[in-house]
Each structure stands twice: as structure tokens, then as C-alpha cells.
Short mmCIF file of all heavy atoms in Angstrom, two decimals:
data_model
loop_
_atom_site.label_atom_id
_atom_site.label_comp_id
_atom_site.label_asym_id
_atom_site.label_seq_id
_atom_site.Cartn_x
_atom_site.Cartn_y
_atom_site.Cartn_z
N MET A 84 0.85 -1.16 -0.03
CA MET A 84 0.07 0.00 -0.01
C MET A 84 0.91 1.29 0.02
O MET A 84 1.85 1.29 0.61
CB MET A 84 -0.90 -0.07 1.18
CG MET A 84 -1.86 -1.14 1.27
SD MET A 84 -2.73 -1.21 2.86
CE MET A 84 -3.83 0.33 2.79
N SER A 85 0.44 2.22 -0.67
CA SER A 85 1.27 3.44 -0.79
C SER A 85 0.31 4.72 -0.55
O SER A 85 -0.84 4.65 -0.89
CB SER A 85 1.91 3.67 -2.26
OG SER A 85 2.89 2.57 -2.36
N SER A 86 0.90 5.79 -0.04
CA SER A 86 0.11 6.97 0.13
C SER A 86 1.10 8.19 0.07
O SER A 86 2.24 8.11 -0.11
CB SER A 86 -0.54 6.97 1.52
OG SER A 86 0.61 6.95 2.55
N ILE A 87 0.34 9.38 -0.06
CA ILE A 87 1.27 10.57 -0.08
C ILE A 87 1.17 11.24 1.24
O ILE A 87 0.13 11.38 1.93
CB ILE A 87 0.49 11.52 -1.11
CG1 ILE A 87 0.51 10.98 -2.55
CG2 ILE A 87 1.23 12.90 -1.20
CD1 ILE A 87 -0.16 11.86 -3.56
N GLU A 88 2.39 11.74 1.69
CA GLU A 88 2.52 12.44 2.85
C GLU A 88 3.06 13.84 2.61
O GLU A 88 3.73 14.05 1.59
CB GLU A 88 3.46 11.70 3.77
CG GLU A 88 3.14 10.24 4.08
CD GLU A 88 1.88 10.06 4.81
OE1 GLU A 88 1.52 11.04 5.62
OE2 GLU A 88 1.21 9.07 4.62
N VAL A 89 2.47 14.73 3.39
CA VAL A 89 2.98 16.14 3.30
C VAL A 89 3.89 16.56 4.37
O VAL A 89 3.56 16.29 5.58
CB VAL A 89 1.78 17.18 3.30
CG1 VAL A 89 2.09 18.55 3.08
CG2 VAL A 89 0.73 16.85 2.09
N ASP A 90 4.99 17.17 4.08
CA ASP A 90 5.79 17.76 5.07
C ASP A 90 5.32 19.14 5.32
O ASP A 90 5.57 20.15 4.53
CB ASP A 90 7.39 17.76 4.66
CG ASP A 90 8.20 18.33 5.66
OD1 ASP A 90 7.74 19.02 6.56
OD2 ASP A 90 9.44 18.22 5.44
N TRP A 91 4.56 19.37 6.46
CA TRP A 91 3.93 20.66 6.64
C TRP A 91 4.87 21.82 6.98
O TRP A 91 4.57 22.99 6.83
CB TRP A 91 2.84 20.59 7.79
CG TRP A 91 1.89 19.58 7.40
CD1 TRP A 91 1.49 18.37 8.00
CD2 TRP A 91 0.82 19.72 6.41
NE1 TRP A 91 0.47 17.76 7.33
CE2 TRP A 91 0.00 18.65 6.28
CE3 TRP A 91 0.51 20.85 5.43
CZ2 TRP A 91 -0.97 18.55 5.46
CZ3 TRP A 91 -0.52 20.66 4.59
CH2 TRP A 91 -1.35 19.50 4.61
N THR A 92 6.13 21.44 7.30
CA THR A 92 7.15 22.40 7.57
C THR A 92 7.68 23.03 6.23
O THR A 92 8.23 24.12 6.28
CB THR A 92 8.31 21.86 8.40
OG1 THR A 92 9.00 20.94 7.66
CG2 THR A 92 7.90 21.25 9.69
N ARG A 93 7.43 22.29 5.13
CA ARG A 93 7.91 22.84 3.88
C ARG A 93 6.78 23.43 3.04
O ARG A 93 7.05 24.28 2.22
CB ARG A 93 8.51 21.78 3.10
CG ARG A 93 9.88 21.25 3.53
CD ARG A 93 10.33 20.09 2.80
NE ARG A 93 11.69 19.82 3.17
CZ ARG A 93 12.81 20.22 2.38
NH1 ARG A 93 12.51 20.99 1.39
NH2 ARG A 93 14.01 19.90 2.76
N CYS A 94 5.55 22.86 3.05
CA CYS A 94 4.54 23.30 2.18
C CYS A 94 4.19 24.75 2.36
O CYS A 94 4.03 25.21 3.43
CB CYS A 94 3.25 22.49 2.42
SG CYS A 94 1.94 22.91 1.44
N ASP A 95 4.21 25.37 1.08
CA ASP A 95 3.93 26.86 1.07
C ASP A 95 2.59 27.22 0.37
O ASP A 95 2.40 28.32 0.00
CB ASP A 95 5.02 27.51 0.25
CG ASP A 95 6.29 27.72 1.08
OD1 ASP A 95 6.24 27.77 2.38
OD2 ASP A 95 7.37 27.77 0.48
N ALA A 96 1.69 26.18 0.23
CA ALA A 96 0.35 26.35 -0.30
C ALA A 96 0.42 26.98 -1.73
O ALA A 96 -0.30 27.76 -2.13
CB ALA A 96 -0.49 27.22 0.57
N HIS A 97 1.37 26.37 -2.58
CA HIS A 97 1.43 26.80 -4.01
C HIS A 97 0.14 26.29 -4.68
O HIS A 97 -0.28 26.87 -5.75
CB HIS A 97 2.68 26.22 -4.63
CG HIS A 97 4.01 26.76 -4.11
ND1 HIS A 97 4.36 28.05 -4.37
CD2 HIS A 97 4.89 26.21 -3.35
CE1 HIS A 97 5.54 28.30 -3.79
NE2 HIS A 97 5.94 27.17 -3.17
N GLY A 98 -0.23 25.06 -4.35
CA GLY A 98 -1.43 24.57 -4.94
C GLY A 98 -1.23 23.67 -6.18
O GLY A 98 -2.11 23.05 -6.83
N LEU A 99 -0.04 23.74 -6.66
CA LEU A 99 0.23 22.91 -7.98
C LEU A 99 -0.10 21.47 -7.82
O LEU A 99 -0.66 20.90 -8.84
CB LEU A 99 1.89 23.00 -8.20
CG LEU A 99 2.37 22.31 -9.28
CD1 LEU A 99 1.69 22.89 -10.74
CD2 LEU A 99 3.85 22.41 -9.39
N CYS A 100 0.14 20.85 -6.60
CA CYS A 100 -0.12 19.41 -6.51
C CYS A 100 -1.56 19.11 -6.87
O CYS A 100 -1.80 18.00 -7.31
CB CYS A 100 0.23 19.00 -5.12
SG CYS A 100 -0.53 19.90 -3.73
N SER A 101 -2.54 19.94 -6.34
CA SER A 101 -3.92 19.50 -6.66
C SER A 101 -4.28 19.77 -8.19
O SER A 101 -5.17 18.97 -8.69
CB SER A 101 -4.84 20.47 -5.87
OG SER A 101 -4.88 21.72 -6.37
N ARG A 102 -3.52 20.50 -8.83
CA ARG A 102 -3.69 20.53 -10.33
C ARG A 102 -3.15 19.32 -11.02
O ARG A 102 -3.64 18.88 -11.96
CB ARG A 102 -3.15 21.78 -10.89
CG ARG A 102 -4.04 23.04 -10.71
CD ARG A 102 -3.57 24.27 -11.36
NE ARG A 102 -2.83 24.97 -10.26
CZ ARG A 102 -1.78 25.70 -10.54
NH1 ARG A 102 -1.32 25.81 -11.68
NH2 ARG A 102 -1.18 26.31 -9.57
N LEU A 103 -2.02 18.84 -10.45
CA LEU A 103 -1.28 17.69 -11.14
C LEU A 103 -1.99 16.30 -10.68
O LEU A 103 -1.86 15.41 -11.43
CB LEU A 103 0.15 17.68 -10.68
CG LEU A 103 0.99 18.90 -11.19
CD1 LEU A 103 2.41 18.77 -10.71
CD2 LEU A 103 0.90 18.96 -12.72
N LEU A 104 -2.51 16.33 -9.55
CA LEU A 104 -3.09 15.03 -9.11
C LEU A 104 -4.45 15.24 -8.39
O LEU A 104 -4.71 15.00 -7.24
CB LEU A 104 -2.18 14.38 -8.00
CG LEU A 104 -2.16 12.89 -7.81
CD1 LEU A 104 -2.05 12.15 -9.06
CD2 LEU A 104 -1.29 12.52 -6.69
N PRO A 105 -5.48 15.69 -9.22
CA PRO A 105 -6.72 16.09 -8.62
C PRO A 105 -7.46 14.79 -8.08
O PRO A 105 -8.41 15.02 -7.25
CB PRO A 105 -7.48 16.78 -9.77
CG PRO A 105 -6.79 16.16 -10.98
CD PRO A 105 -5.38 15.97 -10.60
N GLU A 106 -7.08 13.69 -8.59
CA GLU A 106 -7.79 12.45 -8.03
C GLU A 106 -7.60 12.24 -6.61
O GLU A 106 -8.30 11.52 -5.95
CB GLU A 106 -7.24 11.16 -8.88
CG GLU A 106 -7.37 11.27 -10.36
CD GLU A 106 -6.13 11.82 -11.00
OE1 GLU A 106 -5.45 12.65 -10.37
OE2 GLU A 106 -5.96 11.43 -12.19
N VAL A 107 -6.45 12.81 -6.14
CA VAL A 107 -6.09 12.46 -4.70
C VAL A 107 -5.93 13.73 -3.86
O VAL A 107 -6.16 13.62 -2.61
CB VAL A 107 -4.65 11.77 -4.81
CG1 VAL A 107 -4.10 11.41 -3.34
CG2 VAL A 107 -4.76 10.57 -5.53
N ILE A 108 -5.63 14.81 -4.46
CA ILE A 108 -5.40 16.07 -3.67
C ILE A 108 -6.33 17.15 -4.09
O ILE A 108 -6.51 17.52 -5.21
CB ILE A 108 -3.93 16.58 -3.96
CG1 ILE A 108 -2.85 15.47 -3.65
CG2 ILE A 108 -3.57 17.89 -3.07
CD1 ILE A 108 -1.45 15.87 -3.97
N THR A 109 -6.99 17.71 -3.03
CA THR A 109 -7.76 18.97 -3.14
C THR A 109 -7.09 19.96 -2.30
O THR A 109 -6.09 19.71 -1.56
CB THR A 109 -9.21 18.76 -2.74
OG1 THR A 109 -9.28 18.29 -1.43
CG2 THR A 109 -9.89 17.74 -3.72
N LEU A 110 -7.69 21.24 -2.31
CA LEU A 110 -7.03 22.26 -1.42
C LEU A 110 -8.08 22.72 -0.50
O LEU A 110 -9.25 22.78 -0.80
CB LEU A 110 -6.65 23.41 -2.38
CG LEU A 110 -5.57 23.20 -3.47
CD1 LEU A 110 -5.25 24.42 -4.19
CD2 LEU A 110 -4.36 22.51 -2.83
N ASP A 111 -7.54 23.10 0.72
CA ASP A 111 -8.44 23.69 1.61
C ASP A 111 -8.56 25.19 1.30
O ASP A 111 -8.08 25.69 0.37
CB ASP A 111 -7.88 23.49 3.16
CG ASP A 111 -6.71 24.18 3.44
OD1 ASP A 111 -6.34 25.09 2.73
OD2 ASP A 111 -6.08 23.90 4.49
N GLU A 112 -9.36 25.92 2.23
CA GLU A 112 -9.69 27.31 1.98
C GLU A 112 -8.46 28.17 1.90
O GLU A 112 -8.41 29.29 1.32
CB GLU A 112 -10.70 27.82 2.88
CG GLU A 112 -10.25 27.76 4.25
CD GLU A 112 -11.39 27.99 5.31
OE1 GLU A 112 -11.91 29.10 5.34
OE2 GLU A 112 -11.89 26.99 5.88
N TRP A 113 -7.31 27.74 2.46
CA TRP A 113 -6.14 28.51 2.57
C TRP A 113 -5.15 28.09 1.45
O TRP A 113 -4.03 28.57 1.36
CB TRP A 113 -5.43 28.45 3.88
CG TRP A 113 -6.32 29.00 4.95
CD1 TRP A 113 -6.53 30.33 5.26
CD2 TRP A 113 -7.13 28.31 5.81
NE1 TRP A 113 -7.38 30.50 6.28
CE2 TRP A 113 -7.82 29.15 6.68
CE3 TRP A 113 -7.33 26.91 6.07
CZ2 TRP A 113 -8.64 28.75 7.64
CZ3 TRP A 113 -8.12 26.52 7.06
CH2 TRP A 113 -8.82 27.45 7.93
N GLY A 114 -5.52 27.13 0.67
CA GLY A 114 -4.60 26.71 -0.42
C GLY A 114 -3.66 25.51 -0.09
O GLY A 114 -2.79 25.15 -0.80
N TYR A 115 -3.93 24.97 1.14
CA TYR A 115 -3.07 23.75 1.54
C TYR A 115 -3.70 22.45 1.08
O TYR A 115 -4.89 22.46 0.97
CB TYR A 115 -2.91 23.82 3.00
CG TYR A 115 -1.88 24.93 3.46
CD1 TYR A 115 -2.38 26.07 3.89
CD2 TYR A 115 -0.56 24.55 3.48
CE1 TYR A 115 -1.42 27.20 4.38
CE2 TYR A 115 0.41 25.62 3.94
CZ TYR A 115 -0.12 26.83 4.26
OH TYR A 115 0.74 27.84 4.66
N PRO A 116 -2.83 21.49 0.76
CA PRO A 116 -3.39 20.30 0.27
C PRO A 116 -4.17 19.48 1.33
O PRO A 116 -3.78 19.43 2.50
CB PRO A 116 -2.18 19.52 -0.16
CG PRO A 116 -1.03 20.15 0.65
CD PRO A 116 -1.43 21.55 0.85
N VAL A 117 -5.27 18.91 0.84
CA VAL A 117 -6.01 17.84 1.60
C VAL A 117 -5.84 16.54 0.83
O VAL A 117 -6.32 16.41 -0.30
CB VAL A 117 -7.40 18.36 1.71
CG1 VAL A 117 -8.26 17.21 2.42
CG2 VAL A 117 -7.66 19.61 2.33
N ILE A 118 -5.30 15.59 1.44
CA ILE A 118 -4.92 14.29 0.85
C ILE A 118 -6.00 13.23 1.00
O ILE A 118 -6.42 13.01 2.25
CB ILE A 118 -3.62 13.78 1.34
CG1 ILE A 118 -2.50 14.83 1.28
CG2 ILE A 118 -3.22 12.53 0.53
CD1 ILE A 118 -1.91 15.17 -0.06
N ASP A 119 -6.52 12.68 -0.08
CA ASP A 119 -7.35 11.50 0.10
C ASP A 119 -6.50 10.35 0.55
O ASP A 119 -5.61 9.92 -0.21
CB ASP A 119 -7.88 11.21 -1.28
CG ASP A 119 -8.70 9.93 -1.20
OD1 ASP A 119 -8.78 9.18 -0.31
OD2 ASP A 119 -9.47 9.60 -2.15
N GLY A 120 -6.59 9.92 1.74
CA GLY A 120 -5.66 8.94 2.30
C GLY A 120 -5.90 7.49 1.82
O GLY A 120 -5.21 6.59 2.41
N SER A 121 -6.72 7.25 0.86
CA SER A 121 -6.91 5.90 0.42
C SER A 121 -5.66 5.41 -0.38
O SER A 121 -4.84 6.17 -0.82
CB SER A 121 -8.11 5.77 -0.39
OG SER A 121 -8.18 6.63 -1.42
N ASP A 122 -5.60 4.03 -0.43
CA ASP A 122 -4.40 3.41 -1.01
C ASP A 122 -4.35 3.88 -2.50
O ASP A 122 -5.33 3.89 -3.11
CB ASP A 122 -4.62 1.96 -0.90
CG ASP A 122 -3.39 1.15 -1.34
OD1 ASP A 122 -2.21 1.73 -1.14
OD2 ASP A 122 -3.49 0.07 -1.92
N LEU A 123 -3.09 4.09 -2.96
CA LEU A 123 -2.81 4.49 -4.43
C LEU A 123 -2.66 3.25 -5.20
O LEU A 123 -1.75 2.43 -4.82
CB LEU A 123 -1.67 5.42 -4.51
CG LEU A 123 -1.75 6.63 -3.64
CD1 LEU A 123 -0.31 7.42 -3.75
CD2 LEU A 123 -2.81 7.52 -3.98
N ASP A 124 -3.38 3.12 -6.29
CA ASP A 124 -3.06 2.03 -7.24
C ASP A 124 -1.70 2.39 -8.04
O ASP A 124 -1.17 3.39 -7.88
CB ASP A 124 -4.19 1.66 -8.11
CG ASP A 124 -4.54 2.74 -9.14
OD1 ASP A 124 -3.63 3.53 -9.42
OD2 ASP A 124 -5.68 2.89 -9.61
N ARG A 125 -1.22 1.46 -8.84
CA ARG A 125 0.07 1.55 -9.48
C ARG A 125 0.07 2.83 -10.35
O ARG A 125 1.16 3.59 -10.32
CB ARG A 125 0.38 0.27 -10.37
CG ARG A 125 1.74 0.27 -10.76
CD ARG A 125 2.08 -0.90 -11.61
NE ARG A 125 1.45 -2.09 -11.29
CZ ARG A 125 1.51 -3.20 -12.00
NH1 ARG A 125 2.08 -3.19 -13.18
NH2 ARG A 125 1.00 -4.36 -11.66
N ASP A 126 -0.93 3.08 -11.17
CA ASP A 126 -0.93 4.36 -11.92
C ASP A 126 -0.88 5.64 -11.09
O ASP A 126 -0.12 6.56 -11.40
CB ASP A 126 -2.15 4.34 -12.89
CG ASP A 126 -2.05 3.31 -13.91
OD1 ASP A 126 -0.91 2.74 -14.25
OD2 ASP A 126 -3.13 2.99 -14.52
N LEU A 127 -1.61 5.58 -10.00
CA LEU A 127 -1.53 6.73 -9.19
C LEU A 127 -0.22 6.90 -8.50
O LEU A 127 0.14 8.00 -8.16
CB LEU A 127 -2.72 6.68 -8.15
CG LEU A 127 -4.04 7.09 -8.70
CD1 LEU A 127 -5.21 7.07 -7.66
CD2 LEU A 127 -4.05 8.48 -9.34
N VAL A 128 0.35 5.76 -8.14
CA VAL A 128 1.76 5.97 -7.42
C VAL A 128 2.67 6.67 -8.43
O VAL A 128 3.45 7.51 -8.01
CB VAL A 128 2.25 4.48 -7.09
CG1 VAL A 128 3.72 4.58 -6.68
CG2 VAL A 128 1.50 3.99 -5.87
N ARG A 129 2.67 6.24 -9.72
CA ARG A 129 3.55 6.91 -10.67
C ARG A 129 3.19 8.38 -10.86
O ARG A 129 4.10 9.16 -10.78
CB ARG A 129 3.31 6.23 -12.07
CG ARG A 129 4.47 6.34 -12.95
CD ARG A 129 4.36 5.46 -14.14
NE ARG A 129 4.27 4.06 -13.86
CZ ARG A 129 3.36 3.14 -14.40
NH1 ARG A 129 2.47 3.60 -15.30
NH2 ARG A 129 3.48 1.91 -14.04
N ALA A 130 1.94 8.65 -10.84
CA ALA A 130 1.53 10.03 -10.94
C ALA A 130 1.90 10.83 -9.73
O ALA A 130 2.24 12.01 -9.82
CB ALA A 130 0.10 10.21 -11.21
N ALA A 131 1.79 10.19 -8.61
CA ALA A 131 2.12 10.85 -7.31
C ALA A 131 3.58 11.13 -7.22
O ALA A 131 4.01 12.17 -6.71
CB ALA A 131 1.53 9.90 -6.08
N ARG A 132 4.34 10.17 -7.66
CA ARG A 132 5.89 10.53 -7.65
C ARG A 132 6.20 11.61 -8.55
O ARG A 132 7.06 12.53 -8.17
CB ARG A 132 6.63 9.29 -8.13
CG ARG A 132 6.51 8.03 -7.07
CD ARG A 132 7.64 7.04 -7.31
NE ARG A 132 7.58 6.13 -6.30
CZ ARG A 132 7.32 4.77 -6.43
NH1 ARG A 132 7.08 4.30 -7.63
NH2 ARG A 132 7.27 3.96 -5.37
N LYS A 133 5.55 11.71 -9.72
CA LYS A 133 5.90 12.90 -10.57
C LYS A 133 5.35 14.22 -9.84
O LYS A 133 6.08 15.23 -9.94
CB LYS A 133 5.10 12.79 -11.91
CG LYS A 133 5.71 11.79 -12.86
CD LYS A 133 5.00 11.74 -14.21
CE LYS A 133 5.55 10.67 -15.09
NZ LYS A 133 4.69 10.51 -16.32
N THR A 134 4.23 14.12 -9.25
CA THR A 134 3.74 15.29 -8.51
C THR A 134 4.74 15.75 -7.38
O THR A 134 5.01 16.94 -7.29
CB THR A 134 2.32 14.97 -8.05
OG1 THR A 134 1.47 14.72 -9.04
CG2 THR A 134 1.74 16.17 -7.26
N ALA A 135 5.19 14.78 -6.71
CA ALA A 135 6.06 15.02 -5.56
C ALA A 135 7.42 15.70 -6.18
O ALA A 135 7.87 16.62 -5.52
CB ALA A 135 6.43 13.82 -4.79
N MET A 136 7.83 15.25 -7.22
CA MET A 136 9.06 15.78 -7.88
C MET A 136 8.74 17.29 -8.32
O MET A 136 9.65 18.11 -8.49
CB MET A 136 9.59 15.03 -9.04
CG MET A 136 10.25 13.69 -8.59
SD MET A 136 11.16 12.93 -9.76
CE MET A 136 9.87 12.21 -10.75
N ALA A 137 7.47 17.54 -8.68
CA ALA A 137 7.20 18.91 -9.28
C ALA A 137 6.85 19.91 -8.10
O ALA A 137 6.85 21.21 -8.39
CB ALA A 137 5.96 18.80 -10.18
N CYS A 138 6.63 19.43 -6.93
CA CYS A 138 6.27 20.35 -5.85
C CYS A 138 7.53 21.39 -5.65
O CYS A 138 8.61 21.00 -5.41
CB CYS A 138 6.06 19.62 -4.65
SG CYS A 138 5.93 20.68 -3.11
N PRO A 139 7.27 22.67 -5.74
CA PRO A 139 8.34 23.70 -5.69
C PRO A 139 8.98 23.60 -4.32
O PRO A 139 10.14 24.05 -4.28
CB PRO A 139 7.56 25.00 -5.86
CG PRO A 139 6.21 24.69 -6.51
CD PRO A 139 5.93 23.22 -6.05
N ALA A 140 8.34 23.18 -3.26
CA ALA A 140 8.83 23.22 -1.96
C ALA A 140 9.38 21.80 -1.56
O ALA A 140 9.78 21.68 -0.48
CB ALA A 140 7.81 23.72 -0.97
N LEU A 141 9.23 20.90 -2.40
CA LEU A 141 9.74 19.50 -2.18
C LEU A 141 9.03 18.94 -0.85
O LEU A 141 9.70 18.45 -0.06
CB LEU A 141 11.17 19.39 -2.06
CG LEU A 141 11.94 19.67 -3.29
CD1 LEU A 141 13.51 19.58 -3.17
CD2 LEU A 141 11.51 18.83 -4.58
N ALA A 142 7.71 19.35 -0.79
CA ALA A 142 7.00 18.90 0.40
C ALA A 142 6.19 17.63 0.48
O ALA A 142 5.52 17.29 1.49
CB ALA A 142 6.04 20.13 0.75
N LEU A 143 6.25 16.91 -0.69
CA LEU A 143 5.47 15.73 -0.84
C LEU A 143 6.38 14.50 -0.84
O LEU A 143 7.41 14.50 -1.49
CB LEU A 143 4.58 15.66 -1.99
CG LEU A 143 3.56 16.89 -2.13
CD1 LEU A 143 2.93 16.84 -3.50
CD2 LEU A 143 2.52 16.67 -1.13
N ARG A 144 5.93 13.38 -0.31
CA ARG A 144 6.64 12.16 -0.30
C ARG A 144 5.53 11.05 -0.62
O ARG A 144 4.56 11.07 -0.05
CB ARG A 144 7.32 11.78 0.98
CG ARG A 144 8.45 12.51 1.45
CD ARG A 144 9.03 11.96 2.69
NE ARG A 144 8.04 11.73 3.72
CZ ARG A 144 7.71 12.61 4.52
NH1 ARG A 144 8.13 13.82 4.55
NH2 ARG A 144 6.72 12.29 5.57
N VAL A 145 6.03 10.04 -1.43
CA VAL A 145 5.15 8.92 -1.63
C VAL A 145 5.69 7.83 -0.75
O VAL A 145 6.99 7.50 -0.85
CB VAL A 145 5.17 8.43 -3.14
CG1 VAL A 145 4.28 7.21 -3.22
CG2 VAL A 145 4.70 9.61 -3.94
N GLU A 146 4.91 7.36 0.15
CA GLU A 146 5.42 6.35 1.15
C GLU A 146 4.66 5.00 0.98
O GLU A 146 3.45 5.04 0.70
CB GLU A 146 5.34 6.88 2.57
CG GLU A 146 6.11 8.08 2.81
CD GLU A 146 6.32 8.41 4.21
OE1 GLU A 146 5.47 8.01 5.01
OE2 GLU A 146 7.20 9.14 4.61
N ARG A 147 5.42 4.05 1.25
CA ARG A 147 4.71 2.61 1.34
C ARG A 147 4.31 2.36 2.80
O ARG A 147 5.04 2.79 3.73
CB ARG A 147 5.73 1.52 1.07
CG ARG A 147 5.99 1.31 -0.40
CD ARG A 147 6.83 0.10 -0.68
NE ARG A 147 6.96 -0.09 -2.08
CZ ARG A 147 6.15 -0.84 -2.76
NH1 ARG A 147 5.06 -1.43 -2.11
NH2 ARG A 147 6.26 -1.05 -4.04
N ARG A 148 3.00 1.93 2.91
CA ARG A 148 2.45 1.58 4.18
C ARG A 148 2.52 0.13 4.33
O ARG A 148 2.31 -0.60 3.39
CB ARG A 148 1.10 2.16 4.39
CG ARG A 148 1.12 3.63 4.50
CD ARG A 148 -0.39 4.21 4.78
NE ARG A 148 -1.23 3.77 3.71
CZ ARG A 148 -2.41 4.38 3.50
NH1 ARG A 148 -2.80 5.29 4.35
NH2 ARG A 148 -3.30 3.97 2.54
N PRO A 149 2.76 -0.37 5.51
CA PRO A 149 2.77 -1.81 5.77
C PRO A 149 1.34 -2.41 5.52
O PRO A 149 0.40 -1.73 5.67
CB PRO A 149 3.20 -1.96 7.26
CG PRO A 149 3.14 -0.65 7.92
CD PRO A 149 3.09 0.35 6.76
S1 LIG B 299 2.54 21.85 -4.54
FE1 LIG B 299 3.95 21.43 -2.69
S2 LIG B 299 4.05 23.34 -1.65
FE2 LIG B 299 2.36 23.53 -3.10
S3 LIG B 299 0.48 23.00 -1.91
FE3 LIG B 299 1.27 21.18 -2.82
S4 LIG B 299 2.61 20.22 -1.33
FE4 LIG B 299 2.22 22.38 -0.79
#
């Protein structure tokens, strides 16, 4: 199982992540990401990794859960 985690000490509410991965990430009223915590399938893991690399603040990580 894999999920996206946000490093809140880095996130600057750019909002890019929700545009790149709208299936999983929406924004709250201040522009911070709200992550759908459900398990990512293989295609979404790939897309999530690309989104993490695109984050200007490098605030996203794709992690494997036990
Ligand atoms: S793109 Fe990165 S910095 Fe911007 S809202 Fe998403 S996680 Fe935060």
C-alpha cells in the first residue's frame, strides 16, 4: 500500500499538487493540500511520484505503508 504524505514544515500552499493530481489532492480554503488517504493504485503511485518531484517546496513524499 502507498500513500502521499505532506511535510507541513515545507509546504507553502502553492497549490500545484492539486492541479497535477486532482484524483487524490484537493485544497483547503487557504490553499493547503487535503490528501485522500486511500491506497494508491500503481498508476496513481507513478503520478504521485511525478507530482512530488514537481512540488516547488519538495514537500510531498510517496510512502509505502505496511
Ligand atoms: S505543490 Fe507542494 S508546496 Fe504547493 S500546496 Fe502542494 S505540497 Fe504544498
